[in-house]
Amino acid sequence: EAGVTQFPSHSVIEKGQTVTLRCDPISGHDNLYWYRRVMGKEIKFLLHFVKESKQDESGMPNNRFLAERTGGTYSTLKVQPAELEDSGVYFCASSPLRTTSSYNEQFFGPGTRLTVL
Amino acid sequence: QKEVEQDPGPLSVPEGAIVSLNCTYSNSAFQYFMWYRQYSRKGPELLMYTYSSGNKEDGRFTAQVDKSSKYISLFIRDSQPSDSATYLCAPSSGGYQKVTFGTGTKLQVIP
């Protein structure tokens, strides 16, 4: 079974440009999360989708970030316009809606490394 | 104040050593305490989790949680070079809630 995939693996853009990151969750996983790690800091939560609905977007830093999950499958995270402080690694994670375990494990993708110059 | 505090290391130990990794947290709502392992250029991978206070053992790994002192530990016995990675403590209030990560401790096991 394929894991969480993210595209691109690395993106280098100039300040003011737009970038769109894509995440394909594990098939059948209705929960989808975005996290990011900026240089020297911890991985921080951005938002959580359940199917196509935003369940929690409390971690979104500002309105330059737009996340979508049309159809409840893959998700995109657009940064427009990008700023220098947006540089970091953006992780996507997914989990099933129901599980037999007491904890709902989140499976992480390899991340997209974003560099804003 | 950060919700989760973790010494970033790096920590370098000889093969076969016992490794102790620790975190403290401030949010009393945390009920699940995860340890993730992250290899270079990879995403975090769940190593093990503990619910509430207590110990949990899985092979060479033991996780401990003391909710009274808000202290989380991971012990690695007979450490191997393949254990070289960044270890992230990551508590959560459970369910489908977000995970709150520590900064991670970079571990290197020297053969």
Side-chain angles (χ1 to χ4, degrees), chain A residues 19-67:
Chain A
V19 64
T20 300
L21 314 181
R22 174 171 169 144
C23 168
D24 285 79
I26 293 172
S27 178
H29 282 192
D30 289 323
N31 289 300
L32 188 148
Y33 308 80
W34 283 98
Y35 294 82
R36 76 170 178 178
R37 182 174 196 149
V38 297
M39 183 69 72
K41 302 279 190 180
E42 64 274 18
I43 298 172
K44 283 195 171 180
F45 167 81
L46 295 178
L47 88 159
H48 169 207
F49 283 99
V50 177
K51 299 185 180 180
E52 66 275 9
S53 300
K54 292 176 184 175
Q55 185 75 14
D56 180 359
E57 49 185 329
S58 61
M60 294 290 265
N62 52 61
N63 58 11
R64 295 186 295 103
F65 289 76
L66 175 64

Side-chain angles (χ1 to χ4, degrees), chain A residues 11-19 81-84 114-117:
Chain A
S11 179
V12 181
I13 61 172
E14 293 192 350
K15 175 183 172 180
Q17 289 186 321
T18 298
V19 64
E83 298 289 344
L84 299 179
L114 174 64
T115 303
V116 182
L117 302 176

